[in-house]
Amino acid sequence: MATCPECDAEIEVDEFDVDKGDQLSCPECGSSLEVTSLSPVELELAPDEDDEEDDDLDDELSADEDGDEEEDEEEEDGDWEE
């Protein structure tokens, strides 16, 4: 048995049927949970996939902004050569 960290419901989880890092849903409140320990089985709220995608997108945008600045500097250097 494990306890949902969101609603404190008792969840039937067999430690031999799950692995650390597995995700499951609470049957009472529907929260996405992640197995963080196997003996005893402990659950924590799983990170939102949307948040992870947003972080990845933010990282890509930051990299693009840095790249654009370097290109602008190169164009400015090219103007000086004329």
Side-chain angles (χ1 to χ4, degrees):
M1 290 290 252
T3 304
C4 174
E6 187 72 18
C7 69
D8 294 327
E10 292 292 321
I11 302 172
E12 182 77 31
V13 180
D14 186 350
E15 66 184 271
F16 299 109
D17 289 339
V18 294
D19 292 318
K20 190 173 181 179
D22 284 355
Q23 293 192 357
L24 49 101
S25 295
C26 174
E28 294 295 320
C29 68
S31 294
S32 294
L33 306 173
E34 182 174 354
V35 177
T36 57
S37 175
L38 294 177
S39 187
V41 175
E42 293 182 9
L43 304 171
E44 289 185 9
L45 289 174
D48 291 336
E49 291 180 13
D50 292 339
D51 289 344
E52 290 177 11
E53 291 174 9
D54 290 345
D55 291 344
D56 292 342
L57 183 59
D58 290 343
D59 292 343
E60 289 175 15
L61 291 174
S62 295
D64 287 344
E65 290 173 2
D66 293 341
D68 290 344
E69 291 175 10
E70 291 175 12
E71 290 175 13
D72 291 342
E73 290 173 9
E74 290 175 10
E75 290 174 10
E76 290 175 11
D77 291 340
D79 291 340
W80 289 101
E81 291 176 11
E82 290 180 17

